[in-house]
């Protein structure tokens, strides 16, 4: 089955430090890959995505590159801010396949999340 | 922001009572999902829907049922709540094009406590 493994946290950084959160995946075929962010007390927000190998997703200074050869989608930011403190989830969405009932669906498989705390 | 609301946002209930959580969307998306979020487990899929009256089980469906009578509403019911169902519940919506899904958009969550 599909799975996502994230580096364990929590991660604590000083403001303006470089951030890397590792994410590796196991999936059949060519999944889409996502990073979601969850701020305290809120739902998940899509941060960035990549739908095919070598695609780079980017948003708000964050970047991640879809590496098929290493099955990875590591999240990076060159200079973190206090406002980046949140929980980050890596996720994959499998391509749609037919199930035994003949219907088609795909599900989002999440990593366990990485807590990031940035200090001034 | 995607038009997804969840109600109630917070609920405390007693063991053995039935509970229904509601997810409402204004995006006319075909796919809707219910997840639960627990420390150390990330998000786990409970049930999902791929159209009106079309639903199927996710990975942690025991003790839960769902219904979808209209495109915009997806209900999650705990028939007889247990303490192990204390969690934060998130609804999500999505669309598909061909074999590739678009991203899922999440609601604000419902914090459920079963005492």
């Amino acid at each position: 089955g599909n799975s996502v493994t994230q580096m364990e946290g929590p991660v604590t950084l000083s403001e303006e430090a470089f951030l890397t959160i590792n994410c590796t995946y196991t999936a059949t075929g060519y999944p889409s890959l996502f990073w979601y962010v969850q701020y305290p007390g809120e739902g998940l927000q899509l941060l960035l995505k990549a739908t095919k190998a070598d695609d780079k997703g980017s948003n708000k200074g964050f970047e991640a590159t879809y590496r098929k050869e290493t099955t990875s989608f590591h999240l990076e930011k060159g200079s973190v801010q206090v406002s980046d403190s949140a929980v980050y989830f890596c996720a994959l969405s499998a391509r749609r396949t037919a199930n035994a009932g003949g219907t088609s669906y795909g599900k989002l498989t999440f990593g366990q999340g990485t807590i990031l705390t940035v200090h001034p | 922001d995607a038009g997804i609301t969840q109600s109630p946002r917070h609920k405390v209930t007693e063991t053995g009572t039935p509970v229904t959580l509601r997810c409402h969307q204004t995006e006319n998306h075909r796919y809707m999902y219910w997840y639960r979020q627990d420390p150390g487990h990330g998000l786990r899929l409970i049930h999902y829907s791929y159209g009106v009256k079309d639903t199927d089980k996710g990975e942690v469906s025991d003790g839960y049922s769902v219904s979808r009578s209209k495109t915009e509403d997806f209900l999650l019911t705990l028939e007889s709540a247990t303490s192990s169902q204390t969690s934060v519940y998130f609804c999500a919506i999505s669309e598909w094009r061909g074999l590739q899904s678009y991203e899922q958009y999440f609601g604000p969550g419902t914090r459920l406590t079963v005492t």
Side-chain angles (χ1 to χ4, degrees):
Chain A
N2 300 326
S3 67
V4 176
T5 302
Q6 288 181 235
M7 67 182 285
E8 293 190 16
V11 175
T12 303
L13 296 173
S14 298
E15 206 165 26
E16 299 184 2
F18 184 85
L19 169 70
T20 299
I21 301 178
N22 290 337
C23 172
T24 57
Y25 68 90
T26 302
T28 55
Y30 301 92
S32 295
L33 300 174
F34 307 89
W35 277 100
Y36 283 85
V37 59
Q38 184 179 31
Y39 299 103
E42 298 184 10
L44 277 71
Q45 301 175 23
L46 178 68
L47 182 59
L48 53 84
K49 68 176 182 179
T51 58
K52 60 182 186 296
D54 300 325
D55 266 4
K56 177 184 283 188
S58 61
N59 186 27
K60 299 180 181 180
F62 291 89
E63 294 183 338
T65 301
Y66 189 145
R67 300 290 188 196
K68 186 173 184 296
E69 63 276 13
T70 55
T71 61
S72 64
F73 192 56
H74 304 322
L75 182 69
E76 297 182 336
K77 187 175 185 183
S79 176
V80 294
Q81 306 300 312
V82 173
S83 58
D84 293 327
S85 298
V87 183
Y88 292 81
F89 292 93
C90 184
L92 70 82
S93 176
R95 293 172 72 86
R96 187 167 64 176
T97 57
N99 64 17
T103 53
S104 300
Y105 88 100
K107 74 168 190 174
L108 207 57
T109 301
F110 286 90
Q112 70 270 35
T114 301
I115 299 172
L116 171 65
T117 302
V118 181
H119 293 298
Chain B
D1 289 343
I4 310 169
T5 57
Q6 292 184 231
S7 59
R9 294 292 314 279
H10 302 271
K11 186 168 182 67
V12 179
T13 191
E14 293 184 349
T15 298
T17 60
V19 177
T20 295
L21 309 183
R22 179 180 184 239
C23 176
H24 179 78
Q25 59 145 329
T26 58
E27 305 296 321
N28 201 36
H29 281 4
R30 180 180 175 189
Y31 291 81
M32 298 185 75
Y33 308 82
W34 277 108
Y35 294 89
R36 60 178 289 174
Q37 183 179 27
D38 304 289
H41 291 279
L43 276 80
R44 293 179 291 176
L45 182 66
I46 305 171
H47 281 279
Y48 66 97
S49 169
Y50 47 94
V52 173
K53 297 186 179 177
D54 291 324
T55 65
D56 206 347
K57 297 178 179 180
E59 59 185 301
V60 290
S61 59
D62 287 348
Y64 302 94
S65 62
V66 290
S67 65
R68 192 167 177 202
S69 59
K70 297 185 290 185
T71 298
E72 57 265 35
D73 289 326
F74 192 33
L75 304 181
L76 176 71
T77 298
L78 290 65
E79 303 289 348
S80 178
T82 66
S83 58
S84 64
Q85 294 176 311
T86 293
S87 186
V88 181
Y89 291 86
F90 288 98
C91 174
I93 64 174
S94 178
E95 264 305 350
W96 283 75
R97 296 292 184 269
L99 294 177
Q100 207 74 16
S101 76
Y102 282 3
E103 56 270 22
Q104 291 186 17
Y105 294 97
F106 285 79
T110 294
R111 182 173 295 276
L112 176 67
T113 302
V114 183
T115 61

